[in-house]
Amino acid sequence: MKSPRLLGFIGLLLGVAAACGAPSPQQTASGTGGAGGSEPDEAGGAPGDGGAGGDGGAGGDGGAGGEAEATWPAGCAELPAPIRAEGAIVELAFELVLGGEPFLFGEPNAAPDGSTVTPLNARFYVSHAALIQAGGDLVPVDIVGPEGAPAPHGVHFYNAEDPGSATLRLRAPAGSYEGVSFVWGLHQACNVSQPAQNVAPLSDASQMTWPHTGYLWLRYEGRVDPPAGGEPVDPDEGTVPPAVHMGGNLVMDLVPRVEVRGALSVPESGSTGKVVRVAMDEVFEGATADVDLTGFMGPPGPVGDELLAGERLRRSLPDLTVFAFDP
C-alpha cells in the first residue's frame, strides 16, 4: 500500500500539471512567422500540439542527399555534439521593428497609438532551429557561433544591448527550402537546467533566470510616454505594455515553435543570409490581447503584469506574425 505521503506527492504533481495550462492549441497555417505549437519531447514522440508538421524525431536531412535521421542532440550540454560536420552557414540578422520602422534601442520610438516607446531591455532565446522543406518536414540544423562551432548549450541569445548577438547562425545542408523554424525560447532540457552549472548564455549573467519556472524566454521592458500634451498612459488601457516576460514552467514543455516562411536557398559551401524582422507591434498586440489565462501558474507570491502579458503573448502566438523575412 502506498503511504499517505507518497499519495499526497503524486497528487501534488498531478495538480501542478493540470494547472500549467495547455500548450498553444493550434498550428499556424503557412503564413509567415506564426507559432507552430510547442516543442515535442526529446525522444521524438508525437508533438504535443502539432507544430509546423511536427518536428518529433527529425524529418530526415533534406538538402543534397544529407544524413538520414539527423536531429538535435539530447540534453543541454555545454558543448553539444554537432548534427553535421559540413554545410553552409545561414546568417539570419534579427531586426526589431515597430510600425514598419526600426525599433531603436534606448531611444524614443513613435508607436501606432500615438505614444512614445523607449525600449530599455530586449532579449530572447532561440533553440532547436530547423529549415522547412517543401512538404513541411523540418531539417534540424546546428546553431553555431561566428567561428562555425556549435554554440554553447546549442542556443542563441539575442540581447539588444549587444549588436553582435543580432545574428543567428545556422550550419545547414545545401538545398532549396521554404523557410526557417525555431523554438522561441529554450527547449525543455535547457529550460530545467541549473544556471549555476551552465555557461553563458544560460548563466545568471543573462538576466533571464527564473528559478520557479526555469528561464524567461523573452524579456522586454521599456518606458511608455503619452503624446505631447496628452494624459499619462494607463497600463490597463494602452496598447504598448511597459514590460513583457514570457516563460514556461518546470513540469510541462510549453515553449512555442515559430516559423519564418519564404524562399531560402542554401549553397554547398560558404554562406548566405537574410534579415528577419521582429515585429514588436505583434508582440505588444499579443501581450495585451483578451486571452483566457485559465490554468496559468505563475511563481509563488503576487504575479506581476509583465508575467501575465508574457503568458497572453505565448497563447496568442498562433494568430500572430512576429517573425518575417525582410521583403
Side-chain angles (χ1 to χ4, degrees):
M1 176 181 293
K2 296 183 176 66
S3 70
R5 178 176 297 179
L6 177 58
L7 289 174
F9 179 71
I10 294 174
L12 175 61
L13 288 180
L14 292 175
V16 169
C20 290
S24 303
Q26 66 187 75
Q27 173 184 347
T28 297
S30 58
T32 306
S38 62
E39 186 73 348
D41 60 44
E42 294 287 339
D49 57 343
D55 57 69
D61 180 87
E67 309 95 312
E69 299 303 324
T71 191
W72 304 283
C76 189
E78 175 183 339
L79 300 176
I83 297 174
R84 56 182 54 80
E86 299 179 348
I89 301 298
V90 178
E91 297 185 337
L92 302 176
F94 291 117
E95 178 183 285
L96 273 58
V97 297
L98 180 67
E101 299 296 328
F103 191 47
L104 303 177
F105 183 76
E107 299 184 24
N109 297 264
D113 66 358
S115 62
T116 300
V117 186
T118 303
L120 304 175
N121 200 344
R123 50 189 76 197
F124 59 80
Y125 287 114
V126 169
S127 60
H128 278 189
L131 302 185
I132 305 172
Q133 294 181 304
D137 289 336
L138 299 185
V139 180
V141 295
D142 293 300
I143 294 177
V144 300
E147 304 303 320
H153 300 292
V155 305
H156 176 75
F157 181 47
Y158 172 90
N159 178 2
E161 296 182 73
D162 176 14
S165 71
T167 301
L168 167 66
R169 296 177 177 87
L170 311 174
R171 183 178 298 283
S176 296
Y177 301 92
E178 294 193 348
V180 178
S181 170
F182 53 81
V183 162
W184 192 20
L186 297 175
H187 60 85
Q188 194 70 346
C190 281
N191 189 54
V192 301
S193 63
Q194 298 298 313
Q197 301 174 8
N198 295 335
V199 300
L202 297 185
S203 62
D204 289 317
S206 67
Q207 299 181 31
M208 301 287 276
T209 56
W210 203 19
H212 304 293
T213 52
Y215 289 79
L216 288 175
W217 302 329
L218 164 71
R219 180 174 182 175
Y220 166 81
E221 290 145 14
R223 187 178 69 248
V224 183
D225 298 312
E231 295 294 326
V233 178
D234 184 344
D236 294 328
E237 300 294 334
T239 59
V240 179
V244 182
H245 291 179
M246 182 177 73
N249 63 57
L250 298 174
V251 179
M252 294 181 66
D253 187 354
L254 302 176
V255 68
R257 174 169 285 279
V258 299
E259 296 180 350
V260 189
R261 288 281 183 166
L264 177 64
S265 180
V266 179
E268 292 284 347
S269 60
S271 64
T272 187
K274 281 181 174 288
V275 172
V276 177
R277 289 189 168 192
V278 185
M280 297 304 294
D281 318 60
E282 298 285 281
V283 171
F284 297 151
E285 179 179 340
T288 57
D290 184 11
V291 177
D292 181 4
L293 296 182
T294 299
F296 172 62
M297 184 182 66
V303 177
D305 291 339
E306 70 279 2
L307 299 182
L308 298 178
E311 181 63 6
R312 283 192 289 265
L313 171 62
R314 189 189 71 83
R315 297 191 184 198
S316 298
L317 278 172
D319 300 318
L320 300 173
T321 304
V322 175
F323 298 90
F325 286 134
D326 190 40

